[in-house]
Amino acid sequence: MSLIDDKWEILFDKYNIENEIKSKGLFYITADQIREVKEPRLMTKFDTRESLPSVFGKKISILPVTRGKYVLGEFELYQDIPDKTSDIKQLTSAKIPDYYETIDISDIRSEANAINIMSIAGILDDFLGEEDMVQTVSGRMSSGNFGFYIHDFKRTKKNDKPYIIVNNSQVEIDGGFENLNIFSIIEGKNVVYSDFLIRQLYYPTRLWEAKISKPIRPVFMVYSNSIFRLLEYEFTEIDYYNSIKLVQERNYSLEDTEITLDDLYATWKNTIIKPEPEVTFIQADSFNKVISLVENLNESPMLTAEIAELFGFRERQADYYYNACRYLGLAEKKTNEEGVKVYITGLGKRLLRMKYKERQLEYVRLILEHQIFYDLFEIVLKTGELPDKRYIKGKMRELDVCGERLIDRRSSSVRGWLNWIITLVK
């Protein structure tokens, strides 16, 4: 990310991009101009808000408009994903027919593999309330020609907002499924994000709504921790990029996911507290992202910069999540010929071989081995509620888990992990 930041700073200075946007509203840049500093594909892939270069500030973003041209402006390109732990508890069970001998549900590694399994298990049919959905398209294709309005952080009417024209830009569809009634576009991820790039659903929707007469139902799917999370969206005004609206959301699993309060109590009661490791105390609010990092490390070791790129983090935040994994004994750093990389530990590999329920309770045990979490979870068991941040900070001071100036920020992570534990109970 720091290298991309540096390269964009060069382009901003050379072409006076920020001032051009302020005076004209938009700035167009060609792939050849970007290539002066680095490959355009690497310089324009920002799937989350956090992945945007520092020089873009809090408002500037970039969109492709042709195969060799991009537009920059003060656009809102991203959609927040609802917090899974606070909004979604219900899980729907799904099954793979017994006669499929080649499918191993414990080894679903890629986004394409997850989409394929989702279809075979009937998850997409159930989610959409349809039958016989069949994959008919996938891969890269041309967007065709269309125009749209986009939100530009100004309080103006829709028709006063910037109007963008797209002419045969490249579009990639992870999966397109069709039956007699509808066509559904699937954008799949195997990494947990806080938001996503609306373009990944909007451009394919505009492409296909111009070609077919059937209703189009865009779906964003995340596969992580053995859970298929499906979110269906619609564009209430097809010529307005930011008219995206969440229609429904459901979670599915191919395994037994029933975890009770008794299961959590038994795990807490049988956990043996260990001395605090000589590891930086946690500053990683989303435990689902901790899990997602462990899963991706199981595929291959990564440089900190690669973790940042995968999640759309800054490198400092990538280190926070590495340290969270290290705090639980699930990751470590080693030096090889490519430099210092983050590796999954043997404990992490054993954990990922467990079934869903056993694995979640093992995560819980690894958290509760730490005195701070053991004591605070006892409060949860007694009261049925999370302790507030003031109480958590007092306990953190009592146990001296980190310096005073870090307590406020890191108490949010402690509360986030406790919240993850209690939401395991469906």
Side-chain angles (χ1 to χ4, degrees):
M1 292 299 301
S2 58
L3 177 60
I4 299 296
D5 284 352
D6 293 344
K7 298 301 184 183
W8 269 111
E9 284 188 12
I10 293 171
L11 292 174
F12 264 60
D13 288 343
K14 181 173 183 179
Y15 295 105
N16 199 25
I17 292 175
E18 187 172 2
N19 288 332
E20 287 287 315
I21 291 172
K22 286 180 179 178
S23 64
K24 300 177 182 177
L26 302 173
F27 179 81
Y28 289 91
I29 190 168
T30 67
D32 286 340
Q33 288 172 316
I34 296 173
R35 196 174 286 111
E36 292 171 4
V37 295
K38 196 170 178 65
E39 171 59 39
R41 181 182 61 83
L42 301 175
M43 288 282 286
T44 58
K45 181 175 170 53
F46 307 119
D47 287 347
T48 69
R49 285 192 193 96
E50 290 176 309
S51 64
L52 289 167
S54 299
V55 72
F56 280 40
K58 294 184 178 181
K59 293 184 177 180
I60 295 176
S61 297
I62 185 168
L63 280 172
V65 291
T66 72
R67 286 186 181 270
K69 194 175 184 180
Y70 302 83
V71 61
L72 293 100
E74 293 188 344
F75 308 139
E76 175 52 276
L77 299 188
Y78 300 91
Q79 177 73 9
D80 290 334
I81 299 173
D83 180 6
K84 178 178 177 180
T85 56
S86 63
D87 295 339
I88 298 297
K89 292 186 178 182
Q90 190 62 44
L91 273 167
T92 301
S93 295
K95 289 188 179 296
I96 295 289
D98 294 339
Y99 53 79
Y100 288 111
E101 297 183 19
T102 57
I103 295 175
D104 180 359
I105 64 172
S106 67
D107 191 31
I108 302 174
R109 295 173 180 263
S110 69
E111 294 157 359
N113 191 201
I115 290 173
N116 187 43
I117 298 298
M118 176 186 70
S119 174
I120 292 170
I123 290 172
L124 186 61
D125 285 11
D126 183 80
F127 179 66
L128 296 174
E130 294 286 339
E131 294 181 349
D132 303 321
M133 297 293 294
V134 175
Q135 184 164 357
T136 55
V137 298
S138 66
R140 296 176 181 174
M141 54 200 75
S142 178
S143 68
N145 303 326
F146 58 87
F148 58 91
Y149 295 95
I150 189 166
H151 178 61
D152 65 344
F153 295 105
K154 297 175 183 177
R155 296 186 178 183
T156 56
K157 296 178 181 179
K158 186 186 80 173
N159 290 355
D160 294 330
K161 296 180 184 301
Y163 191 73
I164 307 298
I165 296 175
V166 173
N167 183 10
N168 293 323
S169 176
Q170 183 171 279
V171 170
E172 185 162 1
I173 297 178
D174 291 332
F177 289 78
E178 185 177 2
N179 71 355
L180 183 65
N181 306 312
I182 68 163
F183 176 60
S184 181
I185 294 165
I186 311 297
E187 175 65 25
K189 302 292 182 186
N190 61 357
V191 178
V192 175
Y193 295 118
S194 299
D195 54 69
F196 70 92
L197 182 61
I198 298 171
R199 175 177 61 82
Q200 294 171 327
L201 292 177
Y202 185 70
Y203 278 25
T205 297
R206 292 302 305 271
L207 162 63
W208 286 101
E209 63 91 21
K211 289 187 172 187
I212 64 176
S213 59
K214 291 177 181 177
I216 297 175
R217 297 176 65 177
V219 174
F220 189 83
M221 184 216 75
V222 182
Y223 180 77
S224 178
N225 198 21
S226 301
I227 302 296
F228 295 86
R229 187 183 187 191
L230 277 67
L231 303 96
E232 180 184 359
Y233 290 91
E234 67 174 344
F235 293 96
T236 58
E237 299 176 67
I238 197 62
D239 66 341
Y240 184 29
Y241 179 99
N242 301 98
S243 68
I244 189 168
K245 177 184 176 183
L246 180 63
V247 175
Q248 63 163 329
E249 175 183 2
R250 290 177 72 181
N251 288 350
Y252 292 83
S253 180
L254 302 174
E255 300 182 41
D256 173 23
T257 60
E258 184 178 358
I259 294 174
T260 67
L261 190 59
D262 287 342
D263 291 325
L264 295 182
Y265 174 77
T267 303
W268 173 80
K269 185 177 181 181
N270 294 319
T271 295
I272 299 173
I273 299 170
K274 293 185 176 180
E276 279 295 284
E278 294 184 6
V279 177
T280 303
F281 191 70
I282 64 164
Q283 186 170 326
D285 292 357
S286 170
F287 197 75
N288 286 307
K289 289 181 182 177
V290 174
I291 294 171
S292 187
L293 177 54
V294 175
E295 291 174 337
N296 280 275
L297 289 174
N298 194 42
E299 296 300 308
S300 64
M302 286 187 282
L303 299 166
T304 302
E306 291 172 328
I307 295 173
E309 181 180 355
L310 178 69
F311 284 89
F313 286 160
R314 298 286 168 194
E315 285 198 29
R316 182 174 65 176
Q317 193 174 2
D319 259 331
Y320 291 157
Y321 276 86
Y322 156 66
N323 282 322
C325 292
R326 185 177 171 218
Y327 181 77
L328 299 175
L330 301 174
E332 60 187 346
K333 284 185 176 180
K334 297 179 182 178
T335 302
N336 62 20
E337 62 278 3
E338 298 179 62
V340 180
K341 284 196 169 187
V342 178
Y343 288 75
I344 190 172
T345 61
L347 173 60
K349 290 181 178 180
R350 290 194 298 275
L351 186 147
L352 293 181
R353 287 195 292 267
M354 298 176 182
K355 296 292 187 182
Y356 176 86
K357 180 175 179 177
E358 182 186 5
R359 187 169 67 252
Q360 307 318 299
L361 295 177
E362 180 66 5
Y363 278 125
V364 172
R365 186 188 68 79
L366 291 173
I367 294 171
L368 297 181
E369 282 182 345
H370 301 268
Q371 186 79 57
I372 179 73
F373 288 101
Y374 189 90
D375 290 354
L376 291 171
F377 194 65
E378 183 176 13
I379 303 298
V380 175
L381 292 170
K382 287 179 177 179
T383 66
E385 296 181 354
L386 283 174
D388 60 27
K389 282 187 67 175
R390 182 178 178 181
Y391 187 90
I392 291 173
K393 288 190 283 187
K395 180 60 71 172
M396 291 172 70
R397 290 187 183 97
E398 177 188 328
L399 296 174
D400 193 24
V401 295
C402 64
E404 180 63 32
R405 67 183 182 86
L406 301 174
I407 282 180
D408 185 66
R409 175 66 185 83
R410 299 191 178 191
S411 65
S412 297
S413 298
V414 173
R415 202 168 195 273
W417 287 25
L418 291 170
N419 190 48
W420 176 83
I421 294 174
I422 63 173
T423 54
L424 291 172
V425 178
K426 306 298 185 277

